[in-house]
Amino acid sequence: MPDSGEALTADFQRYQFYHLGRFHGCPRVYTYQALAWTLRDRLMSDWMNTYAVRDQPGKRRAYYLSLEFLIGRALSNHVLNLGLDTAAREALQSFGQTLEDVAEEETDAGLGNGGLGRLAACFMDSCATLDLPVMGYGIHYEYGMFRQNIENGYQVEEPDHWLRDGNPWEVERSEFTCRVSFGGHTEHFHDKEGIPRARWANTRDVLAIPYDMPVSGYRNHVVNTLRLWKSAATDVFDLNEFNAGSYSEAVQAKNHAEHISMVLYPNDSSESGKELRLRQQYFLASASLQDALRQWRAAGNSDLMKFAEHNVFQMNDTHPTIAVAELMRLLLDNERLQWDAAWAITSQCMAYTNHTLLPEALERWPVALFERLLPRPLEIIYEINGRFLHKVAMKWPGDIERRQRMSIIEEGEVRQLRMAWLAIVGSFSVNGVAALHSRLLKEGLFRDFFELWPYKFNNKTNGVTPRRWVAHANPGMSALINREIGEEWVADLSQLARLKPLAAADHSSFHAEWRAVKRANKERLAKLIKTECRVEFNPDALFDVQVKRIHEYKRQLLNVLHVIHLYNRINHDQLENWVDRCVLFGGKAAPGYAMAKRIIKLINNVAEVINGDYDVGDRLKMAFLPNYRVSSMEIIAPATDLSEQISTAGKEASGTGNMKFMMNGAVTIGTYDGANIEILDAVGEDNFFLFGLHAEEVEALRPHYQPQHYVDSDPELRGVIDLLASGHFNLSEPGIFDVILDTLLSPNDPWMVLADFRSYVDAQQQVEQAWRDKACWTSKSILNTASSGFFSTDRTIQKYNADIWKLT
Ligand code: 26Q
């Protein structure tokens, strides 16, 4: 299709008038829609071509199975990838609109909670840019991540009806609808050849209808597919009920089916036992595997023994792990393979990525629930476990305890399925998401399995896509970089290293330009914060930012304690060498996580007191930005000076926000945890503010942890705790922060917040010292961007491909 500004203008006009039925001057959302359709047309032929190229016999393909794809907005991303920036601006200009304003009209596709979901979206971007035959499989949630409002300082959740205005990017492909079974019972019989077989009978089925979203590569004419399943009632089932005269029951059953893809679960650490969640998991796994089998056949293949040669499924955490049992079921019951053949195929094409070290976050499902919902897959899991435990017994004769530890079935009052164990047993590859995380998995959680199958375990350090997180989010910095080293860095981020010489202080004019870009980005963020929080951030102050899910292990509380400490310093006139600071928080709490919600309330109350204190003035500001999401981070990361990555060491598997900040020239204050360690390695200790206990030290201290000891021996910490305990931040709401004080002061605080307070405050002093020397800070900022090449998902995906997927 023609790509000129004129051609886009004509199409845009046609869509606005003939397709949408809107005149010039209509609400801006229709301008967005008309432009989206105009661009979609330009994706279509590349999309169809990519399909055709992928559809060849004998070609190996990968599938990314994930309950979450946190995509955010698509329009600007496609504009960038297609190289249509100038043309799109030209088209909009004749209607008096800017691309930025129009892009703002798009609702984020918030089909994920946080890091794990956003990683899946960055991976899809890199796979397309690297021209790899990878398809994403997920769920077409009607409601994505809830919208967060703040009322009187408390989080209030609202449904996210992201499809209200329609979704111009998706294409329904009802021709590939699948059927997914639930309930019923199993029957065992011998087939004509006398071979024992099973059938899953009397099931209640639902339909899975695919909705495809295009995933464009960066200027390479590749458009891959993200296929999202929507649930619907089967006609047959409705009709049966209807014939029996129970019309309303039939409609109810229809509702029941449609519930499956209704809403994303808003927990970012597993919440066990919810039946609907298990339905979602099986729905995704079953539909995706059926579809992959169909695609493989449609490409002209037929010898099932070659299936594992041609297909690999990457499971994003344990959420889609029921796929192990489901592929076995399809091969045994539908394809009539024998157990050994089916197992050889299954265990050769499944791969599992773990995203957490918290033992309490490992997914478990009550066996009883499985029995009722998925009787046939459960039988298969029993068989997998029996055969597996036999192997364990062979390797460690008489070691009963180990057999119990390693069993996929956890015995106890409620028998439970350990999904991580099923994933490891059923996969040929098991990986963590940062070097430390992968090592700790081998030494801790997965130790027994590592001893059995050391060759399965590997590391794939996370990344983020530089297209969205730099080229799109930070056009000012991108232009500056382009001028210095050309544009190649966008698809080869290691090129950024060529900026390193410019960090030297004698490049003062480059330094000034770098600062000017950051300053403009800070103005943009300050405007947003003014609108959303009614707080004034001064762009000349240090922008100190912690945005991520609210979780105790991420220690937003440690950050708050530091802010209270700064407030105390002001109140005690300790203003020597003062550095003006604006502290920004953002993030959602799981609706059922009371402590996380109380932390949000604390942040808001402390902010209100500080911002309202005339004596504090511009020295210190604090804000909580409501409804943190992908599109907020696109404004926040480019405007950040100091990136807060302060989890208890050994608890954050990787982190990916840390990488987005680094790429955009923020300096990190962080613990020796997750990918922070690799960031520190890349940028050097002079350009990273490291503090706190290491993972091993945390565990060594745990049995003896006495938080009161730190309070007694550190007057500044005592000042902070005393002020909090005095009720200064909750004068009209007595007692609401007692639970927070209690955990901070408890020897059982798992996150050991107070153990790192002194070290954190000292590191913050180093931050201030560096900030006061403009050249020194600018140099650190440039070096962070220049050293961030490793953290591109292009590198991550190349490693997945080289070690696991082996696609050509
Ligand atoms: C499980 C069962 C039932 C309901 C919800 C869940 C659930 C949903 C989401 C459990 C966990 C999640 C999300 C986890 C997550 O985002 N983990 C993060 O993954 C990132 C990408 O690897 C890492 O960088 C982060 O360190 C890790 O916390």
Side-chain angles (χ1 to χ4, degrees):
M1 292 195 82
D3 276 350
S4 65
E6 266 164 55
L8 262 68
T9 307
D11 284 7
F12 169 81
Q13 255 180 313
R14 188 171 46 78
Y15 272 116
Q16 182 157 295
F17 189 80
Y18 288 99
H19 181 79
L20 297 168
R22 272 19 189 238
F23 288 116
H24 193 78
C26 61
R28 201 183 272 152
V29 65
Y30 300 109
T31 310
Y32 154 69
Q33 286 178 16
L35 184 59
W37 281 94
T38 305
L39 291 165
R40 181 186 138 134
D41 286 350
R42 275 142 185 96
L43 287 168
M44 242 349 137
S45 62
D46 286 345
W47 199 2
M48 313 271 260
N49 281 336
T50 308
Y51 262 124
V53 174
R54 306 282 189 243
D55 243 14
Q56 284 172 32
K59 273 215 149 182
R60 191 169 161 81
R61 305 175 59 165
Y63 296 95
Y64 201 74
L65 299 182
S66 178
L67 270 283
E68 308 194 3
F69 287 90
L70 188 38
I71 301 162
R73 292 176 176 149
L75 183 124
S76 305
N77 191 242
H78 291 307
V79 169
L80 173 73
N81 286 339
L82 297 174
L84 289 177
D85 193 84
T86 312
R89 285 177 193 281
E90 202 179 308
L92 291 175
Q93 202 171 25
S94 35
F95 298 89
Q97 304 272 5
T98 68
L99 186 55
E100 286 70 21
D101 286 346
V102 170
E104 277 289 306
E105 292 294 325
E106 183 174 2
T107 310
D108 280 40
L111 311 184
N113 274 283
L116 167 149
R118 182 55 230 176
L119 184 74
C122 285
F123 276 8
M124 292 304 295
D125 181 275
S126 284
C127 289
T129 294
L130 295 168
D131 191 9
L132 291 174
V134 178
M135 187 180 233
Y137 277 126
I139 292 181
H140 186 273
Y141 299 107
E142 222 55 38
Y143 294 87
M145 189 61 200
F146 66 80
R147 247 219 320 271
Q148 178 194 56
N149 286 318
I150 301 297
E151 287 175 20
N152 183 33
Y154 289 101
Q155 166 175 302
V156 176
E157 301 95 17
E158 239 180 52
D160 160 52
H161 196 186
W162 69 292
L163 294 164
R164 194 184 325 255
D165 299 323
N167 179 5
W169 305 112
E170 70 189 18
V171 175
E172 181 182 338
R173 292 207 183 279
S174 32
E175 67 272 35
F176 300 139
T177 296
C178 297
R179 181 178 268 264
V180 178
S181 299
F182 293 97
H185 62 263
T186 61
E187 292 167 2
H188 292 265
F189 61 98
H190 285 82
D191 66 13
K192 278 174 273 168
E193 289 92 58
I195 298 168
R197 299 263 169 219
R199 101 164 54 87
W200 187 1
N202 202 228
T203 53
R204 297 194 147 219
D205 296 356
V206 302
L207 298 182
I209 304 170
Y211 285 73
D212 287 359
M213 306 259 268
V215 182
S216 55
Y218 180 71
R219 299 189 187 174
N220 62 357
H221 297 283
V222 171
V223 180
N224 278 342
T225 300
L226 172 58
R227 181 158 286 176
L228 302 177
W229 298 102
K230 177 176 173 163
S231 62
T234 59
D235 300 338
V236 178
F237 186 73
D238 278 359
L239 209 62
N240 282 341
E241 298 272 346
F242 189 62
N243 287 343
S246 15
Y247 176 72
S248 47
E249 278 80 356
V251 175
Q252 249 183 356
K254 185 171 151 65
N255 274 333
H256 204 62
E258 283 166 0
H259 275 152
I260 293 179
S261 60
M262 192 62 75
V263 62
L264 166 78
Y265 274 88
N267 312 297
D268 70 336
S269 45
S270 72
E271 172 190 80
S272 277
K274 289 273 184 283
E275 175 177 335
L276 183 60
R277 171 74 179 184
L278 182 57
R279 282 179 182 275
Q280 291 182 336
Q281 296 185 347
Y282 182 67
F283 173 75
L284 169 68
S286 181
S288 307
L289 290 170
Q290 291 179 50
D291 192 59
L293 267 161
R294 180 196 55 74
Q295 287 193 57
W296 176 76
R297 285 218 164 86
N301 301 291
S302 55
D303 180 3
L304 273 170
M305 294 320 289
K306 291 225 161 108
F307 186 78
E309 247 173 66
H310 298 159
N311 296 281
V312 54
F313 299 90
Q314 191 70 43
M315 300 186 288
N316 201 16
D317 216 291
T318 50
H319 315 155
T321 287
I322 186 63
V324 171
E326 178 62 3
L327 184 54
M328 285 299 288
R329 189 188 70 83
L330 292 169
L331 296 174
L332 293 169
D333 299 358
N334 293 11
E335 307 295 340
R336 310 178 147 266
L337 293 189
Q338 301 276 38
W339 183 276
D340 288 334
W343 184 248
I345 294 168
T346 301
S347 57
Q348 280 306 305
C349 62
M350 293 288 168
Y352 159 55
T353 305
N354 171 282
H355 297 265
T356 185
L357 280 157
L358 309 182
E360 66 270 26
L362 288 187
E363 264 196 298
R364 290 173 161 78
W365 289 105
V367 171
L369 174 59
F370 246 81
E371 183 111 55
R372 187 157 55 75
L373 218 58
L374 304 168
R376 179 59 187 143
L378 179 63
E379 277 182 355
I380 291 170
I381 293 172
Y382 280 141
E383 183 69 24
I384 293 173
N385 195 42
R387 290 168 183 251
F388 165 63
L389 289 180
H390 179 74
K391 275 218 177 79
V392 173
M394 289 312 200
K395 168 126 182 163
W396 292 288
D399 194 343
I400 307 294
E401 271 181 30
R402 193 190 291 257
R403 281 186 56 165
Q404 280 172 356
R405 283 201 309 267
M406 296 181 81
S407 173
I408 296 171
I409 318 281
E410 182 179 51
E411 302 294 339
E413 241 173 272
V414 229
R415 298 175 74 225
Q416 299 207 303
L417 290 181
R418 296 160 161 156
M419 298 311 277
W421 281 203
L422 177 60
I424 299 172
V425 173
S427 298
F428 67 92
S429 165
V430 177
N431 76 279
V433 291
L436 173 73
H437 172 230
S438 297
R439 176 167 70 78
L440 293 177
L441 283 179
K442 294 194 282 190
E443 293 171 358
L445 278 180
F446 296 165
R447 187 186 180 137
D448 290 321
F449 293 91
F450 177 62
E451 287 176 12
L452 183 59
W453 294 313
Y455 49 85
K456 283 194 187 185
F457 289 79
N458 64 94
N459 173 246
K460 295 288 168 282
T461 298
N462 283 166
V464 303
T465 170
R467 270 74 64 188
R468 181 175 296 262
W469 297 112
V470 186
H472 158 67
N474 203 339
M477 195 177 89
S478 300
L480 194 53
I481 297 173
N482 288 346
R483 195 194 66 201
E484 294 299 330
I485 63 170
E487 291 185 27
E488 258 181 57
W489 61 272
V490 179
D492 173 12
L493 206 63
S494 65
Q495 297 277 332
L496 288 181
R498 292 167 55 203
L499 294 170
K500 283 181 186 174
L502 295 166
D506 52 330
H507 286 95
S508 57
S509 74
F510 183 77
H511 274 211
E513 290 177 289
W514 190 264
R515 277 196 298 269
V517 167
K518 185 62 90 176
R519 160 94 207 192
N521 292 337
K522 289 167 78 173
E523 280 168 14
R524 180 169 68 151
L525 176 60
K527 234 174 102 186
L528 179 73
I529 292 170
K530 177 91 192 287
T531 319
E532 298 291 317
C533 318
R534 278 171 274 108
V535 177
E536 299 252 12
F537 272 20
N538 172 6
D540 291 321
L542 173 77
F543 277 22
D544 171 350
V545 180
Q546 186 173 21
V547 288
K548 49 182 80 235
R549 287 302 287 260
I550 311 294
H551 224 295
E552 288 165 279
Y553 85 80
K554 295 177 186 283
R555 297 201 298 193
Q556 280 91 357
L557 278 177
L558 182 57
N559 191 346
V560 175
L561 295 182
H562 174 248
V563 176
I564 297 175
H565 165 65
L566 291 176
Y567 178 58
N568 273 339
R569 267 178 64 193
I570 297 172
N571 284 335
H572 298 135
D573 259 339
Q574 292 165 2
L575 298 171
E576 206 190 329
N577 284 329
W578 186 264
V579 165
D580 291 351
R581 197 190 278 250
C582 297
V583 186
L584 179 66
F585 289 85
K588 292 173 185 177
Y593 189 172
M595 181 61 84
K597 289 178 132 175
R598 196 53 60 97
I599 292 169
I600 291 179
K601 173 64 173 166
L602 176 66
I603 294 169
N604 281 303
N605 277 26
V606 172
E608 178 145 348
V609 168
I610 288 176
N611 299 333
D613 189 330
Y614 181 82
D615 293 332
V616 173
D618 256 1
R619 293 190 188 107
L620 183 59
K621 294 280 181 199
M622 181 175 178
F624 184 92
L625 182 73
N627 202 29
Y628 172 64
R629 58 197 188 280
V630 172
S631 58
S632 340
M633 186 55 155
E634 290 166 7
I635 311 290
I636 293 168
T640 296
D641 296 307
L642 185 65
S643 155
E644 298 270 354
Q645 307 300 337
I646 60 179
S647 51
T648 310
K651 302 301 171 190
E652 187 71 271
S654 162
T656 45
N658 48 4
M659 302 168 187
K660 296 163 199 167
F661 284 119
M662 181 200 200
M663 276 181 199
N664 283 283
V667 186
T668 305
I669 183 165
T671 47
Y672 204 71
D673 198 16
N676 292 355
I677 297 171
E678 288 154 86
I679 289 177
L680 170 65
D681 274 352
V683 77
E685 56 188 15
D686 292 345
N687 307 298
F688 185 111
F689 298 98
L690 179 67
F691 75 95
L693 298 176
H694 288 207
E696 289 74 13
E697 295 168 330
V698 167
E699 292 320 315
L701 175 61
R702 196 177 291 287
H704 322 284
Y705 181 52
Q706 289 298 342
Q708 190 63 46
H709 156 83
Y710 301 99
V711 181
D712 295 340
S713 60
D714 186 335
E716 292 185 335
L717 175 56
R718 178 146 24 99
V720 170
I721 295 292
D722 285 350
L723 189 63
L724 192 51
S726 75
H728 184 70
F729 301 106
N730 52 323
L731 288 174
S732 59
E733 301 159 296
I736 60 168
F737 298 133
D738 290 358
V739 277
I740 290 180
L741 275 162
D742 288 349
T743 50
L744 287 176
L745 294 171
S746 163
N748 299 318
D749 170 18
W751 321 114
M752 304 208 255
V753 177
L754 299 196
D756 282 343
F757 177 82
R758 177 43 39 198
S759 165
Y760 180 54
V761 170
D762 290 347
Q764 290 283 13
Q765 296 254 0
Q766 309 254 301
V767 169
E768 291 173 10
Q769 198 187 331
W771 178 258
R772 285 193 298 268
D773 178 346
K774 286 294 152 226
C776 162
W777 189 273
T778 308
S779 160
K780 291 186 197 308
S781 169
I782 297 167
L783 284 173
N784 266 275
T785 300
S787 311
S788 68
F790 181 75
F791 301 101
S792 166
T793 34
D794 297 346
R795 182 270 313 156
T796 310
I797 289 297
Q798 275 162 338
K799 287 288 281 174
Y800 271 90
N801 192 39
D803 300 347
I804 306 172
W805 301 344
K806 307 199 190 286
L807 308 166
T808 47

